[in-house]
Amino acid sequence: MTTSNLNYRTGYEPLLPGVYIAPYPATYPEFAGDPEAASAAALAALRTLFATVIAPSKVASILIEPVIGEGGYQPAPASFLVALRELCDEHGILFIADEVQTGFARTGRMWGFEGAGIVPDVVVMAKAIANGLPLSAIATSRARMEQWGRSAHGSTYGGNPVACAAGIAVLETIRDERLVENAAARGGELRAGLDRIAAEEPRIGDVRGPGLMIGVELVKDRETREPDGALAKALIAKAADLGLLVLTCGMSGQVIRWIPPIDATAAEISEAVEIFGEALRSV
Ligand SMILES: Cc1ncc(COP(=O)(O)O)c(C=O)c1O
């Protein structure tokens, strides 16, 4: 389903039918960081889709990442998620939160959707769920699961005991080591450090994101907000040379994605910010 990059679609056709894509409420570059403007535009586009392409009565579900990952580390404005929840309720549409990247404390809350104070009907999760062991899950109410029928959704490795044991250990560790709180606190420090660098660096157009899921968008010029994927590429290579691993995301690879371990310490965050600043000065 993803449209974050052609890389994930080309050569895989035919893709899943019956999937309609609405624009994500990205706040940057188009809305210069204004969440309400981004939210209003994306809602208007969704309403147009419902009026011209697919009737909402025919829509089974709407799937959204509370913070889009591959697509450029864009947090959905809380007002958008609230409006989407209302729209789903109005039309009997299931709200599916894709928490594959945002789940398990990444955003400084256990789940990304909590930031908007909404409750989805279905949550899909993977990646951090077993800290690297292969596991994923679909969570919903028991009543909805029972509608599905026993073994209607199976997979060769589903319910693997070792992966499930790792999943339980992850949950216990997040609870016992208070890692949700740690991600929120370290995220605040990381954000403050990156904001400090951005204040003096015209090649940074935007710093955004909750908790330890922060995107730094690089631009050729702050006024035009033209993305600079080449700079991002050079920057992550330089940072790696200096001992800091960061990735890129976004359509042109122009966003540096910060996704440090949720048990990072304050000293590690501070060192990372320092290395990032040094790398930026030398590219
Ligand atoms: C947000 C999000 N959802 C879903 C997926 C795909 O997950 P899977 O590999 O389990 O199909 C990814 C993979 O990167 C992802 O980032």
mmCIF file of all heavy atoms in Angstrom, residues 221-259:
data_model
loop_
_atom_site.group_PDB
_atom_site.id
_atom_site.type_symbol
_atom_site.label_atom_id
_atom_site.label_comp_id
_atom_site.label_asym_id
_atom_site.label_seq_id
_atom_site.Cartn_x
_atom_site.Cartn_y
_atom_site.Cartn_z
ATOM 1 N N ASP A 221 17.557 26.007 0.330
ATOM 2 C CA ASP A 221 17.303 27.396 0.671
ATOM 3 C C ASP A 221 16.052 27.413 1.547
ATOM 4 O O ASP A 221 15.034 26.828 1.192
ATOM 5 C CB ASP A 221 17.067 28.141 -0.668
ATOM 6 C CG ASP A 221 16.640 29.573 -0.511
ATOM 7 O OD1 ASP A 221 16.044 29.917 0.522
ATOM 8 O OD2 ASP A 221 16.901 30.349 -1.443
ATOM 9 N N ARG A 222 16.153 28.096 2.696
ATOM 10 C CA ARG A 222 15.020 28.103 3.633
ATOM 11 C C ARG A 222 13.767 28.754 3.049
ATOM 12 O O ARG A 222 12.649 28.421 3.424
ATOM 13 C CB ARG A 222 15.409 28.848 4.908
ATOM 14 C CG ARG A 222 15.787 27.898 6.008
ATOM 15 C CD ARG A 222 15.835 28.614 7.341
ATOM 16 N NE ARG A 222 16.415 27.732 8.327
ATOM 17 C CZ ARG A 222 16.965 28.132 9.453
ATOM 18 N NH1 ARG A 222 16.996 29.405 9.749
ATOM 19 N NH2 ARG A 222 17.467 27.261 10.305
ATOM 20 N N GLU A 223 13.997 29.708 2.146
ATOM 21 C CA GLU A 223 12.855 30.415 1.562
ATOM 22 C C GLU A 223 12.075 29.509 0.616
ATOM 23 O O GLU A 223 10.864 29.381 0.724
ATOM 24 C CB GLU A 223 13.346 31.661 0.798
ATOM 25 C CG GLU A 223 13.894 32.752 1.688
ATOM 26 C CD GLU A 223 12.869 33.231 2.716
ATOM 27 O OE1 GLU A 223 11.744 33.557 2.298
ATOM 28 O OE2 GLU A 223 13.206 33.259 3.920
ATOM 29 N N THR A 224 12.811 28.871 -0.313
ATOM 30 C CA THR A 224 12.113 28.036 -1.306
ATOM 31 C C THR A 224 11.770 26.653 -0.746
ATOM 32 O O THR A 224 10.923 25.962 -1.266
ATOM 33 C CB THR A 224 12.991 27.827 -2.552
ATOM 34 O OG1 THR A 224 14.167 27.111 -2.147
ATOM 35 C CG2 THR A 224 13.397 29.154 -3.188
ATOM 36 N N ARG A 225 12.440 26.250 0.310
ATOM 37 C CA ARG A 225 12.263 24.941 0.971
ATOM 38 C C ARG A 225 12.515 23.773 0.011
ATOM 39 O O ARG A 225 11.944 22.708 0.147
ATOM 40 C CB ARG A 225 10.857 24.815 1.581
ATOM 41 C CG ARG A 225 10.556 25.886 2.588
ATOM 42 C CD ARG A 225 9.146 25.775 3.138
ATOM 43 N NE ARG A 225 8.627 27.098 3.421
ATOM 44 C CZ ARG A 225 7.414 27.531 3.092
ATOM 45 N NH1 ARG A 225 6.562 26.717 2.510
ATOM 46 N NH2 ARG A 225 7.042 28.752 3.362
ATOM 47 N N GLU A 226 13.365 24.029 -0.983
ATOM 48 C CA GLU A 226 13.686 22.968 -1.939
ATOM 49 C C GLU A 226 14.513 21.884 -1.238
ATOM 50 O O GLU A 226 15.518 22.191 -0.585
ATOM 51 C CB GLU A 226 14.491 23.575 -3.103
ATOM 52 C CG GLU A 226 14.617 22.638 -4.281
ATOM 53 C CD GLU A 226 15.531 23.227 -5.361
ATOM 54 O OE1 GLU A 226 15.676 24.464 -5.425
ATOM 55 O OE2 GLU A 226 16.099 22.434 -6.111
ATOM 56 N N PRO A 227 14.089 20.620 -1.341
ATOM 57 C CA PRO A 227 14.776 19.556 -0.596
ATOM 58 C C PRO A 227 16.199 19.325 -1.076
ATOM 59 O O PRO A 227 16.493 19.496 -2.258
ATOM 60 C CB PRO A 227 13.914 18.316 -0.872
ATOM 61 C CG PRO A 227 13.130 18.629 -2.093
ATOM 62 C CD PRO A 227 12.961 20.120 -2.134
ATOM 63 N N ASP A 228 17.077 18.929 -0.140
ATOM 64 C CA ASP A 228 18.468 18.675 -0.508
ATOM 65 C C ASP A 228 18.884 17.255 -0.090
ATOM 66 O O ASP A 228 19.507 17.051 0.959
ATOM 67 C CB ASP A 228 19.380 19.737 0.136
ATOM 68 C CG ASP A 228 20.757 19.767 -0.540
ATOM 69 O OD1 ASP A 228 21.094 18.782 -1.235
ATOM 70 O OD2 ASP A 228 21.476 20.768 -0.380
ATOM 71 N N GLY A 229 18.496 16.292 -0.937
ATOM 72 C CA GLY A 229 18.825 14.888 -0.680
ATOM 73 C C GLY A 229 20.323 14.620 -0.738
ATOM 74 O O GLY A 229 20.838 13.793 0.014
ATOM 75 N N ALA A 230 21.028 15.348 -1.620
ATOM 76 C CA ALA A 230 22.476 15.125 -1.770
ATOM 77 C C ALA A 230 23.196 15.516 -0.483
ATOM 78 O O ALA A 230 24.107 14.817 -0.023
ATOM 79 C CB ALA A 230 23.006 15.929 -2.956
ATOM 80 N N LEU A 231 22.770 16.613 0.113
ATOM 81 C CA LEU A 231 23.384 17.048 1.372
ATOM 82 C C LEU A 231 23.118 16.007 2.471
ATOM 83 O O LEU A 231 24.014 15.669 3.254
ATOM 84 C CB LEU A 231 22.824 18.423 1.789
ATOM 85 C CG LEU A 231 23.284 18.938 3.151
ATOM 86 C CD1 LEU A 231 24.797 19.100 3.210
ATOM 87 C CD2 LEU A 231 22.591 20.263 3.501
ATOM 88 N N ALA A 232 21.885 15.502 2.505
ATOM 89 C CA ALA A 232 21.534 14.502 3.531
ATOM 90 C C ALA A 232 22.411 13.260 3.395
ATOM 91 O O ALA A 232 22.898 12.712 4.386
ATOM 92 C CB ALA A 232 20.056 14.136 3.415
ATOM 93 N N LYS A 233 22.642 12.866 2.143
ATOM 94 C CA LYS A 233 23.460 11.681 1.882
ATOM 95 C C LYS A 233 24.898 11.904 2.365
ATOM 96 O O LYS A 233 25.496 11.054 3.050
ATOM 97 C CB LYS A 233 23.433 11.391 0.370
ATOM 98 C CG LYS A 233 23.925 10.026 0.005
ATOM 99 C CD LYS A 233 23.662 9.758 -1.466
ATOM 100 C CE LYS A 233 24.379 8.462 -1.849
ATOM 101 N NZ LYS A 233 24.467 8.277 -3.276
ATOM 102 N N ALA A 234 25.441 13.064 2.016
ATOM 103 C CA ALA A 234 26.812 13.378 2.441
ATOM 104 C C ALA A 234 26.894 13.483 3.956
ATOM 105 O O ALA A 234 27.863 13.028 4.585
ATOM 106 C CB ALA A 234 27.252 14.696 1.795
ATOM 107 N N LEU A 235 25.861 14.047 4.549
ATOM 108 C CA LEU A 235 25.854 14.264 5.998
ATOM 109 C C LEU A 235 25.816 12.946 6.769
ATOM 110 O O LEU A 235 26.553 12.772 7.751
ATOM 111 C CB LEU A 235 24.645 15.146 6.358
ATOM 112 C CG LEU A 235 24.451 15.502 7.820
ATOM 113 C CD1 LEU A 235 25.683 16.173 8.406
ATOM 114 C CD2 LEU A 235 23.238 16.425 7.985
ATOM 115 N N ILE A 236 24.984 12.002 6.319
ATOM 116 C CA ILE A 236 24.924 10.748 7.094
ATOM 117 C C ILE A 236 26.231 9.958 6.940
ATOM 118 O O ILE A 236 26.644 9.263 7.861
ATOM 119 C CB ILE A 236 23.679 9.875 6.791
ATOM 120 C CG1 ILE A 236 23.666 9.325 5.371
ATOM 121 C CG2 ILE A 236 22.386 10.605 7.097
ATOM 122 C CD1 ILE A 236 22.621 8.217 5.192
ATOM 123 N N ALA A 237 26.893 10.121 5.773
ATOM 124 C CA ALA A 237 28.186 9.443 5.590
ATOM 125 C C ALA A 237 29.228 10.049 6.534
ATOM 126 O O ALA A 237 29.984 9.335 7.190
ATOM 127 C CB ALA A 237 28.637 9.555 4.144
ATOM 128 N N LYS A 238 29.228 11.369 6.624
ATOM 129 C CA LYS A 238 30.199 12.057 7.501
ATOM 130 C C LYS A 238 29.906 11.700 8.966
ATOM 131 O O LYS A 238 30.834 11.428 9.749
ATOM 132 C CB LYS A 238 30.080 13.580 7.290
ATOM 133 C CG LYS A 238 31.090 14.390 8.053
ATOM 134 C CD LYS A 238 32.488 14.145 7.521
ATOM 135 C CE LYS A 238 33.546 14.538 8.513
ATOM 136 N NZ LYS A 238 34.900 14.202 8.056
ATOM 137 N N ALA A 239 28.611 11.702 9.314
ATOM 138 C CA ALA A 239 28.244 11.371 10.700
ATOM 139 C C ALA A 239 28.696 9.949 11.038
ATOM 140 O O ALA A 239 29.208 9.696 12.138
ATOM 141 C CB ALA A 239 26.732 11.515 10.887
ATOM 142 N N ALA A 240 28.543 9.033 10.074
ATOM 143 C CA ALA A 240 28.962 7.644 10.317
ATOM 144 C C ALA A 240 30.466 7.585 10.554
ATOM 145 O O ALA A 240 30.943 6.879 11.457
ATOM 146 C CB ALA A 240 28.555 6.756 9.142
ATOM 147 N N ASP A 241 31.232 8.362 9.771
ATOM 148 C CA ASP A 241 32.689 8.414 9.970
ATOM 149 C C ASP A 241 33.025 8.868 11.386
ATOM 150 O O ASP A 241 34.010 8.440 11.981
ATOM 151 C CB ASP A 241 33.340 9.421 9.000
ATOM 152 C CG ASP A 241 33.392 8.866 7.579
ATOM 153 O OD1 ASP A 241 33.182 7.648 7.419
ATOM 154 O OD2 ASP A 241 33.632 9.672 6.657
ATOM 155 N N LEU A 242 32.200 9.767 11.912
ATOM 156 C CA LEU A 242 32.474 10.331 13.244
ATOM 157 C C LEU A 242 31.846 9.485 14.361
ATOM 158 O O LEU A 242 31.931 9.843 15.541
ATOM 159 C CB LEU A 242 31.939 11.770 13.310
ATOM 160 C CG LEU A 242 32.597 12.777 12.353
ATOM 161 C CD1 LEU A 242 31.882 14.125 12.413
ATOM 162 C CD2 LEU A 242 34.072 12.955 12.684
ATOM 163 N N GLY A 243 31.150 8.405 13.972
ATOM 164 C CA GLY A 243 30.625 7.489 14.998
ATOM 165 C C GLY A 243 29.152 7.613 15.292
ATOM 166 O O GLY A 243 28.660 7.070 16.284
ATOM 167 N N LEU A 244 28.398 8.306 14.432
ATOM 168 C CA LEU A 244 26.954 8.466 14.656
ATOM 169 C C LEU A 244 26.183 7.876 13.473
ATOM 170 O O LEU A 244 26.381 8.299 12.335
ATOM 171 C CB LEU A 244 26.608 9.961 14.784
ATOM 172 C CG LEU A 244 25.112 10.284 14.838
ATOM 173 C CD1 LEU A 244 24.489 9.850 16.159
ATOM 174 C CD2 LEU A 244 24.880 11.779 14.612
ATOM 175 N N LEU A 245 25.299 6.919 13.755
ATOM 176 C CA LEU A 245 24.514 6.319 12.679
ATOM 177 C C LEU A 245 23.129 6.946 12.631
ATOM 178 O O LEU A 245 22.366 6.855 13.596
ATOM 179 C CB LEU A 245 24.384 4.803 12.891
ATOM 180 C CG LEU A 245 25.698 4.019 12.878
ATOM 181 C CD1 LEU A 245 25.426 2.539 13.109
ATOM 182 C CD2 LEU A 245 26.432 4.211 11.544
ATOM 183 N N VAL A 246 22.834 7.614 11.523
ATOM 184 C CA VAL A 246 21.488 8.117 11.270
ATOM 185 C C VAL A 246 21.111 7.710 9.853
ATOM 186 O O VAL A 246 21.980 7.390 9.039
ATOM 187 C CB VAL A 246 21.366 9.661 11.437
ATOM 188 C CG1 VAL A 246 21.238 10.068 12.880
ATOM 189 C CG2 VAL A 246 22.545 10.375 10.797
ATOM 190 N N LEU A 247 19.801 7.702 9.583
ATOM 191 C CA LEU A 247 19.310 7.290 8.269
ATOM 192 C C LEU A 247 18.660 8.477 7.584
ATOM 193 O O LEU A 247 18.440 9.513 8.207
ATOM 194 C CB LEU A 247 18.244 6.201 8.432
ATOM 195 C CG LEU A 247 18.671 4.848 8.978
ATOM 196 C CD1 LEU A 247 17.429 4.036 9.327
ATOM 197 C CD2 LEU A 247 19.508 4.122 7.940
ATOM 198 N N THR A 248 18.300 8.273 6.319
ATOM 199 C CA THR A 248 17.506 9.303 5.646
ATOM 200 C C THR A 248 16.119 8.726 5.357
ATOM 201 O O THR A 248 15.909 7.518 5.403
ATOM 202 C CB THR A 248 18.140 9.737 4.307
ATOM 203 O OG1 THR A 248 18.298 8.584 3.488
ATOM 204 C CG2 THR A 248 19.466 10.408 4.509
ATOM 205 N N CYS A 249 15.183 9.583 5.057
ATOM 206 C CA CYS A 249 13.861 9.173 4.570
ATOM 207 C C CYS A 249 13.304 10.356 3.796
ATOM 208 O O CYS A 249 13.962 11.387 3.650
ATOM 209 C CB CYS A 249 12.942 8.742 5.716
ATOM 210 S SG CYS A 249 12.617 10.022 6.939
ATOM 211 N N GLY A 250 12.067 10.173 3.297
ATOM 212 C CA GLY A 250 11.462 11.237 2.494
ATOM 213 C C GLY A 250 11.675 10.970 1.016
ATOM 214 O O GLY A 250 12.546 10.190 0.624
ATOM 215 N N MET A 251 10.859 11.621 0.203
ATOM 216 C CA MET A 251 10.809 11.348 -1.232
ATOM 217 C C MET A 251 12.161 11.546 -1.913
ATOM 218 O O MET A 251 12.534 10.798 -2.806
ATOM 219 C CB MET A 251 9.767 12.265 -1.877
ATOM 220 C CG MET A 251 9.135 11.711 -3.112
ATOM 221 S SD MET A 251 7.594 12.574 -3.440
ATOM 222 C CE MET A 251 8.109 14.274 -3.471
ATOM 223 N N SER A 252 12.909 12.532 -1.493
ATOM 224 C CA SER A 252 14.218 12.783 -2.104
ATOM 225 C C SER A 252 15.339 12.373 -1.159
ATOM 226 O O SER A 252 16.484 12.784 -1.356
ATOM 227 C CB SER A 252 14.384 14.265 -2.437
ATOM 228 O OG SER A 252 13.194 14.850 -2.848
ATOM 229 N N GLY A 253 15.019 11.639 -0.121
ATOM 230 C CA GLY A 253 16.042 11.272 0.867
ATOM 231 C C GLY A 253 16.564 12.502 1.585
ATOM 232 O O GLY A 253 17.707 12.544 2.055
ATOM 233 N N GLN A 254 15.722 13.543 1.694
ATOM 234 C CA GLN A 254 16.189 14.828 2.223
ATOM 235 C C GLN A 254 16.025 14.968 3.733
ATOM 236 O O GLN A 254 16.423 15.980 4.305
ATOM 237 C CB GLN A 254 15.416 15.971 1.528
ATOM 238 C CG GLN A 254 14.002 16.247 2.036
ATOM 239 C CD GLN A 254 12.949 15.279 1.502
ATOM 240 O OE1 GLN A 254 13.238 14.184 1.070
ATOM 241 N NE2 GLN A 254 11.687 15.692 1.553
ATOM 242 N N VAL A 255 15.424 13.965 4.362
ATOM 243 C CA VAL A 255 15.158 14.059 5.806
ATOM 244 C C VAL A 255 16.100 13.130 6.564
ATOM 245 O O VAL A 255 16.195 11.943 6.251
ATOM 246 C CB VAL A 255 13.685 13.692 6.126
ATOM 247 C CG1 VAL A 255 13.407 13.828 7.618
ATOM 248 C CG2 VAL A 255 12.719 14.556 5.322
ATOM 249 N N ILE A 256 16.796 13.704 7.530
ATOM 250 C CA ILE A 256 17.627 12.874 8.418
ATOM 251 C C ILE A 256 16.679 12.327 9.482
ATOM 252 O O ILE A 256 15.962 13.092 10.128
ATOM 253 C CB ILE A 256 18.719 13.717 9.129
ATOM 254 C CG1 ILE A 256 19.601 14.451 8.117
ATOM 255 C CG2 ILE A 256 19.544 12.825 10.064
ATOM 256 C CD1 ILE A 256 20.532 13.598 7.315
ATOM 257 N N ARG A 257 16.666 11.024 9.620
ATOM 258 C CA ARG A 257 15.783 10.476 10.650
ATOM 259 C C ARG A 257 16.568 10.044 11.875
ATOM 260 O O ARG A 257 17.507 9.283 11.808
ATOM 261 C CB ARG A 257 14.922 9.341 10.122
ATOM 262 C CG ARG A 257 15.601 8.222 9.423
ATOM 263 C CD ARG A 257 14.615 7.083 9.351
ATOM 264 N NE ARG A 257 14.449 6.559 8.030
ATOM 265 C CZ ARG A 257 13.696 5.508 7.764
ATOM 266 N NH1 ARG A 257 13.019 4.914 8.701
ATOM 267 N NH2 ARG A 257 13.601 5.048 6.536
ATOM 268 N N TRP A 258 16.098 10.588 12.968
ATOM 269 C CA TRP A 258 16.687 10.266 14.275
ATOM 270 C C TRP A 258 15.794 9.232 14.928
ATOM 271 O O TRP A 258 14.637 9.494 15.235
ATOM 272 C CB TRP A 258 16.745 11.511 15.144
ATOM 273 C CG TRP A 258 17.841 12.443 14.765
ATOM 274 C CD1 TRP A 258 17.793 13.400 13.794
ATOM 275 C CD2 TRP A 258 19.149 12.514 15.347
ATOM 276 N NE1 TRP A 258 18.994 14.056 13.745
ATOM 277 C CE2 TRP A 258 19.838 13.546 14.689
ATOM 278 C CE3 TRP A 258 19.800 11.815 16.373
ATOM 279 C CZ2 TRP A 258 21.145 13.900 15.006
ATOM 280 C CZ3 TRP A 258 21.093 12.157 16.693
ATOM 281 C CH2 TRP A 258 21.765 13.192 16.012
ATOM 282 N N ILE A 259 16.341 8.058 15.148
ATOM 283 C CA ILE A 259 15.569 6.993 15.756
ATOM 284 C C ILE A 259 16.487 6.232 16.734
ATOM 285 O O ILE A 259 16.787 5.060 16.565
ATOM 286 C CB ILE A 259 14.922 6.121 14.647
ATOM 287 C CG1 ILE A 259 14.136 4.962 15.191
ATOM 288 C CG2 ILE A 259 15.910 5.677 13.603
ATOM 289 C CD1 ILE A 259 13.342 4.193 14.135
#
